[in-house]
Amino acid sequence: MKKPDQVFALIDCNSFYASCERVFRPDLAKTPIVVLSNNDGCVIARSYDAKPFVKMGAPYFQIKDHLRRNGVVAFSSNYALYGDMSERVMTIIESMVPALEVYKISKASPS
Amino acid sequence: MSFTILGPLSAGGEKLPFYSFHVPAGFPSPAADHIEKHISLDELFDIRAPHVYLIKIEGDSMQGAGIFSGDLVIVDRSVYAEHGDIVIAALNSEPICKRLHKRQHEVILMSENPKYPARHVLEGDELLIWGVVKYSVRNHEKT
């Protein structure tokens, strides 16, 4: 009997840091949000609905007023949170597939 | 009532001997205490599971259920909340911990404290169930 072909999948979490923040802020489920780099330097994540308002990497001091005027909420980054959530996601996927390669905090490739 | 969701857990999971103390009728035997098995609190409460979170509760609306302000609750996000479950939820974006009453089309959030009335969830309300409370942890020290 022919051995079945190996199948690979790619899993990429949407707007990972922003999505992590939203898990604990259900009140912001419909509010555009961005996450800022260390020292609130620049934008490193945007929720889907924040994308029309702000470019990736935009320096926060430049766009601060623009965000406020458009009701976009900014979060300081919380890497401990993202690491914890990433581990939860990968643990769940791992329990469902024979092999998993995690290559970014928000991306993995099960096979 | 509000709550704080606690962050990543540090390494632990030390297994503690689990003693069983049986007092047979008649004279207690010197070998009354014996180790039955080893247990860790992590395993008992499944705290390391990806769908389990620790939350610190503030407020007194669930005292009747034995959940007091400052207690920790262990919340499972992987189960569907059913009638009678104590849930962590957001009602119109306001964080709450209440017992869920769900019958037919009637959804009510019940407190376990006569000071707080039942909160009926109406057409215009938005209720998001975050997770179901499985266990709670209390500090019983005298303060």
Side-chain angles (χ1 to χ4, degrees):
Chain A
M1 191 172 114
K2 185 170 175 274
K3 197 175 144 192
D5 289 327
Q6 197 168 19
V7 178
F8 293 88
L10 285 173
I11 296 179
D12 185 347
C13 300
N14 294 337
S15 311
F16 189 63
Y17 297 167
S19 301
C20 286
E21 299 287 353
R22 265 187 173 154
V23 170
F24 304 101
R25 295 292 303 273
D27 56 314
L28 297 178
K30 301 201 182 78
T31 304
I33 64 171
V34 296
V35 177
L36 307 172
S37 62
N38 286 334
N39 273 320
D40 293 353
C42 55
V43 172
I44 52 169
R46 305 166 293 163
S47 64
Y48 187 76
D49 46 1
K51 290 185 182 182
F53 295 105
V54 55
K55 284 190 167 58
M56 182 60 93
Y60 181 52
F61 76 94
Q62 273 181 13
I63 55 162
K64 199 166 169 174
D65 283 335
H66 175 66
L67 291 181
R68 197 180 33 86
R69 271 183 268 115
N70 287 284
V72 180
V73 176
F75 284 84
S76 298
S77 51
N78 182 350
Y79 293 105
L81 169 67
Y82 314 144
D84 182 66
M85 296 304 278
S86 177
E87 206 178 307
R88 293 177 189 266
V89 171
M90 301 312 169
T91 302
I92 292 172
I93 301 171
E94 239 168 13
S95 70
M96 298 193 271
V97 297
L100 179 74
E101 188 177 320
V102 177
Y103 54 93
K104 267 192 132 177
I105 200 171
S106 58
K107 303 190 216 301
S109 180
S111 56
Chain B
M1 146 148 318
S2 69
F3 52 75
T4 309
I5 303 173
L6 303 183
L9 301 175
S10 58
E14 173 104 13
K15 285 196 189 287
L16 309 166
F18 188 57
Y19 291 95
S20 164
F21 190 148
H22 292 292
V23 182
F27 298 98
S29 148
D33 294 299
H34 62 280
I35 298 175
E36 282 200 347
K37 58 179 205 165
H38 283 82
I39 199 167
S40 82
L41 292 180
D42 285 14
E43 276 173 30
L44 198 58
F45 301 127
D46 208 11
I47 283 180
R48 304 265 158 207
H51 50 271
V52 176
Y53 293 79
L54 284 184
I55 292 185
K56 186 170 177 189
I57 297 290
E58 280 128 56
D60 57 358
S61 67
M62 293 302 284
Q63 286 183 354
I67 300 175
F68 296 79
S69 202
D71 285 0
L72 289 183
V73 292
I74 292 157
V75 180
D76 185 339
R77 293 204 74 196
S78 69
V79 290
Y80 282 111
E82 287 168 11
H83 174 84
D85 283 341
I86 296 175
V87 296
I88 295 287
L91 179 64
N92 301 325
S93 301
E94 196 206 318
I96 51 164
C97 174
K98 296 278 179 271
R99 195 179 292 281
L100 180 69
H101 171 107
K102 194 165 84 170
R103 280 275 178 266
Q104 311 289 76
H105 298 292
E106 195 183 44
V107 179
I108 310 172
L109 296 164
M110 317 279 300
S111 294
E112 298 245 356
N113 181 334
K115 259 167 61 180
Y116 299 85
R119 177 55 162 97
H120 289 253
V121 180
L122 310 165
E123 276 285 325
D125 287 322
E126 198 174 336
L127 176 66
L128 183 137
I129 306 276
W130 199 85
V132 176
V133 173
K134 285 290 171 77
Y135 307 95
S136 65
V137 185
R138 286 215 72 211
N139 182 344
H140 290 280
E141 275 186 273
K142 265 196 325 227
T143 43

